[in-house]
Amino acid sequence: MSEPGAQGGIPSLRVQTVLYETAARDVVRFVTGISAACAHALGSGAIRSAELAIGDSSPVPVARGAGELLPGGEGPFTGVAYLPFGANLGSAGGHNRLFEDADTDLVLVMNPDTYASPHLVAELVAGLADRTVGIVEARQLPLEHPKAHDPATGDVSWASGSCFLVRAAVLEATGGFDTDLFFLHGDDVDFSWRARLAGWRVVHRPSATVFHDKRLDETGVIRAGARELEYSALASVLLPWRYSRRDLALERLARLESAGDELSATVASGLRARVDAGEMPDPIDPDHRVGEFVGDDYARHRFSYAGP
Amino acid sequence: VSAALSATTEAFLELLRRRRCSPGSVIVDLGAADDGVAGRGPAGVGSATRALQAAGFATIGIAADQQSAERLTAVGAEVVMGDLSKPDDVFADVVLVLGERHVAAVWLRDLPARVPDMGALVRAAHWFGEQTSAPLVLGVPNVTHVDVATRLLLGRWEPGQGGVSDDAHVRHFSPASLRPAMLALGWAEIDAADVEHEGGAVEAGERERSGVDAAFLERTTPVGAELAALRDLAGPEGHAEYLVRIYEPVMPAPVDADADGRALRAPFLSVLVRTQGKRWGTLEEALLCLAAQTCDDFEVLVMVHDPEGDATSRTEGLVAEFHPSFSGRVRVVEVAGGGRCRPLNEGARMARGRYLATLDDDDLVFAHWVETMREAAEGAPWHAIRVVVGTQQVEATQGSGPPDVGYRVAGRPRVDYPLTFDYVEHLRDNLTPNNGYAVPRSLVTDLGQGWDESLPVLEDWDHLLRSAAICGVESVPTVAAMIRVWANAENSKTLHTSEIWEETRQRIVAQLDAVPLLLDRGYMSKLRALVGRISAAEKLEQRNEELAADVGRLTGELADSERRREIADEAVDALKTARDDLQQRLDDVLSSRSWQLTQSVGKSVGRARRWAKAAEEIVRDRRGGDGRKEG
């Protein structure tokens, strides 16, 4: 992989997403959005080429081939790859698998339940004009991510994996997501923090908008599914442990153990076994340069979707 | 000339006056021979012909036999002998009789309803019109008159003589059917002077108002007013007994054979996006939300209202940047003039969708907005559909370009609006923002239930209340849309004073008060429960007032008692003092001289008597107040 900033040329782009039992029509919708955004970025000279990689963790592949997911042809993409993994690699593992084939300057990581605004790619690339920035996060609509960012510089604690643009150099420096620790949740927080430890800045760019199909329940709350809750609980202990907050990790583990519900008990039991067996990750960031734990969040939040 | 017959004749002459037809020219009056004959009209024979001549026109009538010819001649009409079942021959003969004279019009009163082949007659008139440049005027009974509709609703149809239920009629006309039918025959309507009272079926209806249908025909009863109001929805011609229309010859329009097919292929929804081309960022976000819908069975009309500069072309450019699968379903339309509702009504006119929904350019919708409404519409056809709208506080920022977008979210979304629609609750206030409902398009385009352009605010409230009264509302308790509440930027709340809001609210209430209110099934229970709650609340309020009065009275009495006790205590204290004083003086007597005794005892006794009297009065008062206890 090459690093565009060093060469100063127009970067090449790879867009990648990982499916898990996603309906084919939803994938088509995703592809139409990102096609237009790539076409716009190519037209405006923000990128010199775009390719698309779709990984599939579903037990039964969503499509028989890429053609089914691109009814209008390859459009602006110089290449489209559809890779059924034959196993559920999770979000982190799936993207890492796709990173292996990447040979572009930039990689755009997206969830398949997103729809790119026409300016998304060009705006994200513009966010990399500053060479200290390694990752640019998009602003989600209609529900913005609640974490705060510096309004002047865009600096943010971490970038949501639902849509961020990353330099190939950052992937090389970090090795991508940590699949030993993370499957679904917390992988993006950890990836962002390790990128920051490697010297890169992570910024949020409000003008880079992406639609993310999140919904509110009748009380105005985003309800998480069981798997989301499970992996979120896991990350709530693993992240502080890794980022030298053993005290907080053990406190959260104890909280899970006393929560009284089956899901918490299962997660806590697995974690307790790892702690007892000495299989928890080695701590990093001993000076707490990047690890940020605010309540149950990994950044200061402007508001919460979980309740009033 | 009877008043009744003169109504259509006068309407006919009014149309000629509007066209500045010069007196002295000729009117070809095809039905003249029938006027006043065998019940074809209440007036006397030839009365219409005389009325036309009185207005300064010459008339040519068609007579099928000698008797008719004589009748026409007797009233001064020129006569062409002919059989109207062979109209081509008749018009060829009229041309011969006419010579070089100018034709004001061909007048077909009632005939199209009676001749077996109206098409042949009107086509022949078209040939004549092309030869002479003569317009055609039709006078036909309106089968969609509100009284006719009402009587049909009640199973009443009694053929008689004259008007729409004339037993000689073989064809009926409605305002909606007349225009395309005539266009197909080569006549384009250019003006109308419909007649409300001609004296046919409607008069018959009037006469029968003492019968079973009386309450339904009477406009002041709730049912009569409701039926009239419903008929008015469909257009202003519901009170026209005769349709009097003038046409000029054009190329016959081909019949649109695929109209039904196209209607079937129409998308479920037309989304009318209202913008002034000033909020590019949020407009793009609104379009993004639409592009990302899980259901693409919709079209979008971006209505650019009173744009400044290149706002329209810039909007077109913005739309074109989206993928063709979305931008191909978006039309950008420039709208000039009018208030904030003008773009919505214009958009409705151009829309193809079976339903209409609206979005402002700073609104957001979730991915399942269209899908949710479509599913609901499939389950409840022809109902208005309502989804739940969340609200989110936002603040305008100073940013002038990327990466700043000009605003920031200031709080979590809230769901403050009720999850389901309740008409009675909505009477109190607007509880459904504009992006929270969709209505059948036909309600707007065919029944005239568009957005009231005279309202500066609250147009969605007014529109939904009117729509709900007709269609009912199918509620889906799903949060599918969101509005932004601007904390520090211009919006309709800041643009208009509270007086304007209240005045508009009162206007809407007055307009709804002017017609009977039709409520959906189930409202008997809801209203009864509501009235029960109000009644209970009133009783509680009354009891509260009574208790408050009791508390006031008791507090007063308590204060009075306390004051009296204080006086009594003072009196007792004074008596004690006096007694002590007396005791002291008495002690002194035993050791003092007699002159001292006399003086001191006299003063002490007087003082003691006064106190004792006061104490007696207080005790008496107290006994009086506590009389019940003692009694």
Side-chain angles (χ1 to χ4, degrees):
Chain A
M1 285 193 251
S2 55
E3 202 275 290
Q7 295 176 354
I10 298 174
S12 55
L13 174 76
R14 175 183 177 88
V15 180
Q16 56 182 53
T17 192
V18 175
L19 315 179
Y20 182 77
E21 298 191 328
T22 317
R25 63 169 197 162
D26 293 339
V27 184
V28 170
R29 193 171 71 245
F30 162 80
V31 170
T32 59
I34 195 59
S35 295
C38 285
H40 180 266
L42 286 163
S44 67
I47 55 173
R48 70 169 187 272
S49 65
E51 62 183 48
L52 176 64
I54 302 171
D56 191 350
S57 278
S58 312
V60 177
V62 166
R64 281 167 295 184
E68 276 183 36
L69 305 175
L70 288 96
E74 294 196 351
F77 301 113
T78 49
V80 177
Y82 171 65
L83 299 174
F85 297 137
N88 184 3
L89 304 183
S91 168
H95 276 294
N96 274 6
R97 170 68 191 80
L98 296 177
F99 288 148
E100 289 171 13
D101 300 331
D103 188 24
T104 53
D105 303 314
L106 309 174
V107 177
L108 176 54
V109 172
M110 295 182 82
N111 272 11
D113 60 348
T114 60
Y115 191 101
S117 72
H119 300 117
L120 174 74
V121 172
E123 278 297 319
L124 287 173
V125 172
L128 289 177
D130 184 327
R131 294 186 181 185
T132 62
V133 175
I135 302 174
V136 188
E137 178 197 52
R139 181 168 61 101
Q140 298 174 35
L141 288 172
L143 299 172
E144 289 192 12
H145 198 285
K147 64 183 181 301
H149 64 275
D150 185 321
T153 63
D155 281 292
V156 68
S157 173
W158 57 279
S160 164
S162 59
C163 183
F164 68 69
L165 180 68
V166 58
R167 293 183 196 270
V170 177
L171 294 173
E172 283 173 2
T174 58
F177 294 112
D178 185 342
T179 52
D180 291 337
L181 280 189
F182 304 102
F183 188 73
L184 281 181
H185 257 257
D187 51 347
D188 44 8
V189 179
D190 172 67
F191 175 66
S192 300
W193 286 354
R194 284 188 291 110
R196 287 173 60 198
L197 281 174
W200 297 98
R201 286 170 56 210
V202 178
V203 299
H204 173 79
R205 191 161 173 91
S207 51
T209 47
V210 66
F211 186 94
H212 190 192
D213 186 0
K214 289 277 187 184
R215 303 177 188 188
L216 294 174
D217 73 4
E218 68 280 3
T219 64
V221 167
I222 300 178
R223 292 264 178 245
R227 281 174 70 82
E228 256 184 296
L229 288 172
E230 179 188 345
Y231 287 103
S232 167
L234 260 176
S236 75
V237 174
L238 292 172
L239 279 167
W241 188 287
R242 161 167 272 185
Y243 288 87
S244 299
R245 287 293 310 273
R246 193 168 183 271
D247 58 325
L248 185 60
L250 291 173
E251 182 190 313
R252 289 180 173 180
L253 177 54
R255 201 169 73 192
L256 283 173
E257 286 171 332
S258 61
D261 62 283
E262 195 181 331
L263 189 145
S264 300
T266 308
V267 171
S269 148
L271 282 165
R272 180 61 70 186
R274 287 169 78 169
V275 170
D276 293 345
E279 292 173 352
M280 291 296 272
D282 293 335
I284 57 174
D285 190 26
D287 305 325
H288 308 302
R289 283 168 49 211
V290 299
E292 195 177 351
F293 299 94
V294 184
D296 289 339
D297 302 320
Y298 308 111
R300 186 173 58 78
H301 280 199
R302 296 168 292 164
F303 54 87
S304 169
Y305 284 114
Chain B
V1 178
S2 84
L5 182 60
S6 72
T8 43
T9 306
E10 180 51 40
F12 167 65
L13 289 170
E14 168 61 21
L15 289 172
L16 296 191
R17 275 194 291 275
R18 288 182 201 165
R19 279 179 61 84
R20 302 183 189 285
C21 289
S22 50
S25 54
V26 178
I27 292 168
V28 180
D29 184 0
L30 294 191
D34 285 336
D35 280 339
V37 178
R40 295 281 89 85
V45 172
S47 56
T49 301
R50 279 195 290 267
L52 301 181
Q53 289 166 352
F57 294 97
T59 60
I60 295 176
I62 313 301
D65 51 43
Q66 197 55 40
Q67 194 181 0
S68 298
E70 286 169 5
R71 271 206 308 273
L72 288 171
T73 308
V75 293
E78 293 173 61
V79 178
V80 169
M81 295 302 292
D83 179 358
L84 282 174
S85 66
K86 297 172 182 169
D88 292 342
D89 297 345
V90 169
F91 276 107
D93 290 344
V94 171
V95 168
L96 293 175
V97 170
L98 193 61
E100 296 297 315
R101 289 180 292 170
H102 177 252
V103 182
V106 175
W107 175 215
L108 276 178
R109 182 187 176 278
D110 213 45
L111 266 181
R114 285 189 275 126
V115 296
D117 190 354
M118 170 202 167
L121 183 63
V122 175
R123 269 192 294 271
H126 187 260
W127 172 84
F128 180 76
E130 284 183 325
Q131 306 301 309
T132 60
S133 301
L136 174 68
V137 183
L138 241 59
V140 290
N142 175 18
V143 75
T144 66
H145 188 283
V146 60
D147 283 1
V148 176
T150 301
R151 294 173 69 229
L152 282 173
L153 194 67
L154 295 167
R156 306 288 294 273
W157 178 262
E158 293 87 12
Q161 292 180 347
V164 70
S165 55
D166 191 312
D167 54 10
H169 285 176
V170 294
R171 181 187 294 268
H172 295 295
F173 297 91
S174 71
S177 68
L178 196 55
R179 185 187 293 261
M182 290 298 287
L183 208 51
L185 293 167
W187 291 101
E189 185 180 305
I190 49 174
D191 201 358
D194 295 342
V195 169
E196 289 205 0
H197 298 292
E198 173 64 11
V202 181
E203 264 198 1
E206 295 274 355
R207 285 194 299 276
E208 290 170 21
R209 281 189 186 188
S210 57
V212 67
D213 45 7
F216 289 75
L217 291 166
E218 173 56 48
R219 299 286 165 256
T220 57
T221 60
V223 67
E226 179 61 27
L227 288 171
L230 286 174
R231 178 61 187 84
D232 287 344
L233 294 179
E237 306 96 342
H239 300 278
E241 191 187 350
Y242 257 79
L243 306 171
V244 183
R245 309 283 169 100
I246 186 165
Y247 303 84
E248 63 184 9
V250 292
M251 285 287 288
V255 175
D256 188 355
D258 194 35
D260 289 343
R262 272 207 316 280
L264 286 174
R265 289 194 299 275
F268 158 64
L269 186 68
S270 293
V271 183
L272 311 178
V273 180
R274 179 168 52 178
T275 184
Q276 291 181 301
K278 292 177 180 173
R279 301 191 285 202
W280 298 106
T282 57
L283 173 62
E284 183 181 337
E285 289 170 14
L287 293 173
L288 176 61
C289 290
L290 292 172
Q293 289 297 300
T294 53
C295 166
D296 60 8
D297 190 8
F298 68 99
E299 64 167 2
V300 180
L301 288 97
V302 183
M303 309 304 292
V304 191
H305 192 201
D306 287 337
E308 291 175 6
D310 63 348
T312 304
S313 58
R314 205 173 153 191
T315 306
E316 287 166 343
L318 183 64
V319 169
E321 287 172 350
F322 281 86
H323 192 272
S325 61
F326 174 67
S327 61
R329 290 181 280 130
V330 183
R331 281 181 278 167
V332 176
V333 181
E334 191 172 304
V335 185
R340 24 190 287 121
C341 297
R342 175 69 59 84
L344 302 182
N345 289 327
E346 282 290 307
R349 200 173 52 75
M350 305 173 77
R352 295 169 49 244
R354 301 191 296 281
Y355 271 73
L356 295 174
T358 66
L359 274 189
D360 282 336
D361 63 4
D362 63 338
D363 287 343
L364 297 167
V365 292
F366 291 89
H368 55 324
W369 186 61
V370 174
E371 184 181 12
T372 304
M373 291 198 289
R374 190 174 77 158
E375 281 174 6
E378 282 169 0
W382 251 93
H383 281 62
I385 307 299
R386 184 210 191 244
V387 295
V388 185
V389 179
T391 58
Q392 190 162 41
Q393 196 94 15
V394 292
E395 295 170 350
T397 58
Q398 297 300 317
S400 56
D404 193 293
V405 290
Y407 77 90
R408 64 169 164 258
V409 171
R412 68 185 292 260
R414 304 186 59 85
V415 179
D416 295 330
Y417 293 110
L419 297 180
T420 54
F421 179 84
D422 184 296
Y423 198 94
V424 176
E425 273 186 13
H426 275 69
L427 290 176
R428 187 168 51 81
D429 214 343
N430 187 18
L431 301 173
T432 306
N434 64 307
N435 56 343
Y437 73 96
V439 296
R441 177 170 62 85
S442 180
L443 186 72
V444 176
T445 53
D446 298 334
L447 296 184
Q449 296 302 292
W451 290 265
D452 185 343
E453 296 191 14
S454 71
L455 299 177
V457 289
L458 290 170
E459 71 280 3
D460 43 1
W461 184 47
D462 168 69
H463 185 247
L464 180 58
L465 285 176
R466 281 186 285 116
S467 303
I470 298 167
C471 300
V473 176
E474 178 71 5
S475 284
V476 189
T478 298
V479 182
M482 197 150 67
I483 55 167
R484 292 178 169 117
V485 181
W486 294 89
N488 56 348
E490 183 183 274
N491 57 45
S492 59
K493 280 260 187 297
T494 59
L495 271 176
H496 301 285
T497 63
S498 57
E499 288 79 17
I500 295 274
W501 281 82
E502 188 50 37
E503 186 186 305
T504 308
R505 195 171 281 116
Q506 293 307 324
R507 266 175 60 196
I508 292 169
V509 169
Q511 283 170 10
L512 289 169
D513 264 343
V515 289
L517 189 61
L518 192 61
L519 292 173
D520 206 350
R521 287 162 297 180
Y523 273 94
M524 171 66 191
S525 303
K526 286 180 183 173
L527 283 175
R528 197 162 179 273
L530 182 67
V531 172
R533 283 204 299 273
I534 292 169
S535 173
E538 282 173 351
K539 280 180 187 157
L540 282 174
E541 195 177 342
Q542 189 183 349
R543 183 67 191 131
N544 190 34
E545 283 171 7
E546 287 169 4
L547 287 173
D550 285 349
V551 168
R553 183 174 51 77
L554 290 171
T555 305
E557 284 180 9
L558 186 62
D560 196 35
S561 299
E562 282 175 353
R563 187 175 54 77
R564 286 162 189 266
R565 197 182 69 188
E566 282 169 12
I567 291 169
D569 287 348
E570 282 175 19
V572 169
D573 288 346
L575 282 171
K576 279 181 183 170
T577 306
R579 188 193 65 191
D580 292 348
D581 190 37
L582 267 175
Q583 186 63 49
Q584 181 64 46
R585 294 295 168 188
L586 200 56
D587 291 347
D588 289 348
V589 165
L590 302 175
S591 58
S592 301
R593 287 191 294 273
S594 61
W595 66 270
Q596 287 175 312
L597 170 71
T598 310
Q599 191 179 38
S600 301
V601 169
K603 284 180 182 172
S604 296
V605 168
R607 198 182 302 135
R609 277 180 180 157
R610 284 198 299 279
W611 283 118
K613 194 178 175 189
E616 270 176 22
E617 282 173 1
I618 289 165
V619 169
R620 193 170 58 243
D621 283 355
R622 279 180 149 181
R623 280 182 176 165
D626 297 334
R628 279 171 298 179
K629 284 182 186 172
E630 289 194 355

